[in-house]
Amino acid sequence: MLTRYSISQRQENEPLGSFSWCMPLKRHQQMMKVGQLRPHPARKLISAKTVSACAGANQDICLDGVMEMSNYKQTMDEARGLVKIDLVLRRAKLVNVFSGEIHETDIGVHEGVFVGIGKFEKAENELDLSGKYVVPGLIDGHVHIESSHLCPEEFCSLLLSHGVTTAVVDPHEIANVTGIKGIQYILDSVDRLPFNTFVALPSCVPATELETSGARLEAKDLLQFVGHPRVIGLGEVMDYLGVIQANPDMVDKLKLPVPFFDGHAPGISPQDLNAYYLAGIHTEHECSTVEEARERLRRGFHVMLREGSAAKNLIDLLPVVTSQNSGQCLLVTDDRHPRDLIHEGSIDHLVRLSIKAGMDPVQVIQMATINAARAIGLKHLGAVAPGYQADFVVLEDLNTFEILEVFWRGIKQSEGNERPRFSRYNVAGLTKSVHLGKWSSDKLRVFTNSESKSNQAQVRVIGVQEHSLVTSALIRELPVRNGLVYPDPAQRIAKIAVIERHHKTGNVGLGFVEGLELKKGAIASTIAHDSHNLVVVGMSDEEMNLAIMTCNEMEGGLCLVDGTQVIGKLPLPIAGLMTDQDAETVAQSLTEMHEKALCLGISEKVDPFMTLAFLSLPVIPLLKLTDLGLVDVEHFRLTKVVL
């Protein structure tokens, strides 16, 4: 933690300055490395022995504002354009996120930081942009790397090629499978990359008590990561009832000494939003209607407009954005498949969609940069201005928003279709994560509730909605034979099962689902938010069983079955969630599997695997399935399948 010092602690021979904060040198260097502190050439490192409050601490400290006069003068001269700097961008059309205007200027960069705009005559390198546009590096304020199926190194490489230089990631997917090992893996794998990755610690592992996860993380488990230079906050707090009802475990997490608390509260009442905000949670990405977004804006929340591969809320929410409140709005992807990342993009795709919908390009760019930085507390990012980290994107045209070049700390990382390639971090201890225990296909049978001889049974059915994570709670009649309830291809109602895969408990949740439009076959995945058990949907127990066995043999992944044949599969050996293959290979595999899914009858309007992955998420209304059974999310309880 930072420690406050008064001016009286300045030693006799030290230069007078308006300093305020002190920290251990090692911590300072770590923060400088990831950019949490603006690299200030004038900052002076002095011995802790010179500060009475640090007596006995045999290490250096850094006092902001205590400036060595030679460094101070150098910094002033660099900003004034009097001395040579590293890089000058000539004749740039700067999209100024502060003034809201576009103006032509030169831009100075030195030691990875913008020293200013204006005139800079001397530079080691010059880049004549000839009127091309310069915008700050884009920021994704809320995303899960694991949902891309890509390892962190490949994910960050892909984002760089789309102008995204910063991402706030919540590793609760891998944490639900492997616990703290998963969090550490994410931190270690991004540590050396030319990309700003910040981690929001998973707040809900497991997400609820209505499912079985691979790990359980309490506040004391997360505390070891507090102080890590890339850890900036607590990830999406899905247990909003625990927040507003002062559940002790949740309160302990909200007491963690981190500056940022991310929100996730679909379905919460407007009155309860007051309490949620007072708990310190000031962002929200789960709005699906204008009214939900407006209620949050009225209370001071930063509203994240989301466009993922499954949940597509951006266009529906844009009407809430006005010139008066746009500063409270930012863009996020949340969950995005590699096919969409490659062919459409990341935050750049959201920018293009917003501009095409009629929004002012400058306002949209503010939402994709400075608004995100301010909402999350990244004070050194999000703008092209003196003292900000030199992350920027070069564009030919604002309306098409086609990325030409991407720079991170003043160094080019991507140009055109070229992107950087990064070596992989060791994944030892994160593989072989599927543990079904003793398995029998008999566990897939759904029995009627009585000795009724009727050939029909009334059942609760999960209703899939297009481009939404919210499901409907339906009542349908399904055929009964020999006391067992069967799916109905005529109604396009399939059976769904969630099988616990972490602890060999043998738990199997069973139900039925409508809206995938499946006519035959089965589809299975070990990606099943948030506990990531094995989820399978099918028209027969035999096909479902083959899909389950295939996922088990792959040690995690995605699978399609038609009759007695496995017609498509994608192994995901890292926690059953990710692979270290390159994005193009994964995207091609997914494209082929999506095409084959159409042959099974699955609707073109549904992303089959992304949709499947969210049918087990019991924190988003209305009806979901976990390994413990069918969940009535509205009342937060298990409910019967067969009425």
Side-chain angles (χ1 to χ4, degrees), residues 363-427:
Q363 190 177 57
V364 176
I365 291 167
Q366 288 171 325
M367 291 163 59
T369 57
I370 191 65
N371 291 9
R374 287 171 169 168
I376 298 158
L378 302 174
K379 296 182 179 180
H380 63 298
L381 299 175
V384 177
Y388 282 78
Q389 186 169 304
D391 302 342
F392 61 95
V393 180
V394 179
L395 310 166
E396 187 74 54
D397 181 82
L398 280 190
N399 292 310
T400 62
F401 212 79
E402 182 180 347
I403 308 295
L404 298 181
E405 296 174 297
V406 182
F407 290 74
W408 177 82
R409 296 192 184 177
I411 300 173
K412 186 187 295 186
Q413 301 297 327
S414 176
E415 181 174 5
N417 294 325
E418 296 296 321
R419 63 184 178 90
R421 303 289 177 169
F422 305 129
S423 59
R424 308 301 197 234
Y425 190 79
N426 191 334
V427 297

Side-chain angles (χ1 to χ4, degrees), residues 57-123:
N58 295 316
Q59 56 188 12
D60 288 343
I61 60 170
C62 169
L63 296 180
D64 291 356
V66 179
M67 298 182 182
E68 200 172 70
M69 292 310 295
S70 60
N71 287 345
Y72 179 91
K73 180 64 164 59
Q74 179 71 17
T75 300
M76 298 299 102
D77 289 346
E78 290 163 359
R80 296 172 66 199
L82 302 179
V83 297
K84 184 180 288 187
I85 58 176
D86 291 339
L87 173 66
V88 173
L89 309 178
R90 302 285 186 203
R91 295 192 294 166
K93 284 185 180 177
L94 174 61
V95 179
N96 196 308
V97 295
F98 291 131
S99 65
E101 61 183 331
I102 300 171
H103 57 98
E104 188 163 309
T105 184
D106 289 353
I107 302 170
V109 176
H110 191 67
E111 295 184 352
V113 179
F114 293 115
V115 294
I117 58 178
K119 294 183 178 181
F120 300 91
E121 301 298 334
K122 304 173 183 179

Side-chain angles (χ1 to χ4, degrees), residues 199-257:
V199 170
L201 296 171
S203 67
C204 299
V205 177
T208 72
E209 297 301 324
L210 299 176
E211 57 194 316
T212 306
S213 66
R216 177 176 294 275
L217 298 181
E218 299 177 354
K220 60 182 176 59
D221 302 307
L222 300 176
L223 193 59
Q224 63 187 285
F225 296 106
V226 173
H228 189 288
R230 293 188 183 275
V231 171
I232 60 166
L234 191 67
E236 53 182 311
V237 183
M238 295 178 281
D239 184 11
Y240 65 81
L241 289 176
V243 173
I244 64 179
Q245 295 173 1
N247 176 283
D249 290 340
M250 180 53 64
V251 171
D252 285 344
K253 292 174 183 175
L254 293 171
K255 289 180 179 179
L256 287 171

Side-chain angles (χ1 to χ4, degrees), residues 45 55 82 221 249 252 264 270 278 291 326 392 402 415 482 533 599 607 632 637:
L45 295 178
L82 302 179
D221 302 307
D249 290 340
D252 285 344
H264 172 119
L278 284 176
E291 189 55 37
S326 65
F392 61 95
E402 182 180 347
E415 181 174 5
N482 300 320
N533 289 302
C599 298
D607 184 313
D632 175 349
R637 66 189 181 194

Side-chain angles (χ1 to χ4, degrees), residues 6-70:
S6 67
I7 194 68
S8 63
Q9 291 165 337
R10 181 181 66 86
Q11 298 299 296
E12 183 178 356
N13 296 325
E14 292 175 359
L16 182 63
S18 57
F19 62 88
S20 58
W21 295 104
C22 168
M23 71 178 72
L25 173 59
K26 182 177 180 181
R27 168 70 168 144
H28 170 267
Q29 290 172 331
Q30 288 176 329
M31 293 181 72
M32 291 284 283
K33 180 180 178 182
V34 300
Q36 284 185 324
L37 291 177
R38 297 183 199 171
H40 197 319
R43 187 177 280 118
K44 180 189 176 186
L45 295 178
I46 60 176
S47 169
K49 295 176 182 178
T50 64
V51 181
S52 59
C54 288
N58 295 316
Q59 56 188 12
D60 288 343
I61 60 170
C62 169
L63 296 180
D64 291 356
V66 179
M67 298 182 182
E68 200 172 70
M69 292 310 295
S70 60

